Amino acid sequence: MSVKSLVSISDYSKEKILQILEKASAFEKNPNQKILDGKVVATLFFEPSTRTRLSFETAVNRLGGRVIGFADASTTSGTKGETLKDTIKMVSNYVDLIVMRNPIEGAARYASEVASVPVVNAGDGANQHPTQTMLDLYSIQKTQGKLDNLKICMVGDLKYGRTVHSLLMAMSHFNPTFSFIAPDELKMPDEYKMFCKKNGIRYEEHSELSENNIADADILYMTRVQKERFTDLFEYEKVKNIYILKNSLLEHTKANMKILHPLPRVNEIEQEVDENEKAYYFEQARNGVFARQAVICDLLGL
Ligand code: CP
């Protein structure tokens, strides 16, 4: 059975992205409605999460729906050997929509192929995190008043950071210029640079987080070094504190510039920056509720 799912941000056209952003804005004005009355949503988290799971669950609760699921896969029959396929087929029997995070790249696509209800990818390994991208786009649009012709500076773990991969693809609709700041070990993968070249998107690469390299950014998109993706923790230790954003680095940035971060933050943004008027990452996380309300209602045809 083929149903509509959101697995990759490339599942959305530019028109669909703009439509979802408009819905998110409407939900921000009125987040408490009974649109999901009688609907049940499953949140299946095979990997830890704070924001994604709780904002999805908040989104459903505020719309009058109900949530079942797990935040710790070790409590499920997966530990007895039940396959992902069987798990998804079972949960499809119970709910109207499945939200799943899984450490394996491609797991969400596979789940969407075996499920009889829509599946939302809440992050699959280092691959994609499309609802994070929708809230990132919503945050960019809210803070910049537009999505077109912006300079987006992506900093940190561009190799394993699924949020930068999804965001890069989504922004391709809006004539961006990218600056990728990463150490050699964590550079933007070639497939995404190829994607930029194929789509005529300008990008530059730097290895230093300096005043000069962020001076013309409209958005400074910081990321955490993804410890959980390293097979060799010695390699992680080498790069874990490679970039630390401080107020002193922000003095000559543009007045409209905002700092985004998908969070969680470890050491890459000093706490002092939280009070800087350019810090937007906590509001960004709040926007996740409205963006996810919009995605859920769209997938359920409501
Ligand atoms: N941004 C994000 O995915 O956060 P969580 O891992 O806490 O869900």
Side-chain angles (χ1 to χ4, degrees), residues 48 115 131 145 149 152 171 178 181 193 248-249 275 286 292:
T131 61
N149 307 319
I152 315 276
M171 285 303 300
F178 289 117
I181 302 182
K193 288 190 273 188
S248 55
L249 266 175
E275 311 309 321
R286 179 174 178 271
R292 289 177 170 125

Side-chain angles (χ1 to χ4, degrees), residues 48-52 101 129 132 262-264:
S49 166
T50 297
R51 276 146 296 274
T52 309
R101 171 170 289 185
H129 194 350
Q132 175 71 44
L263 303 178

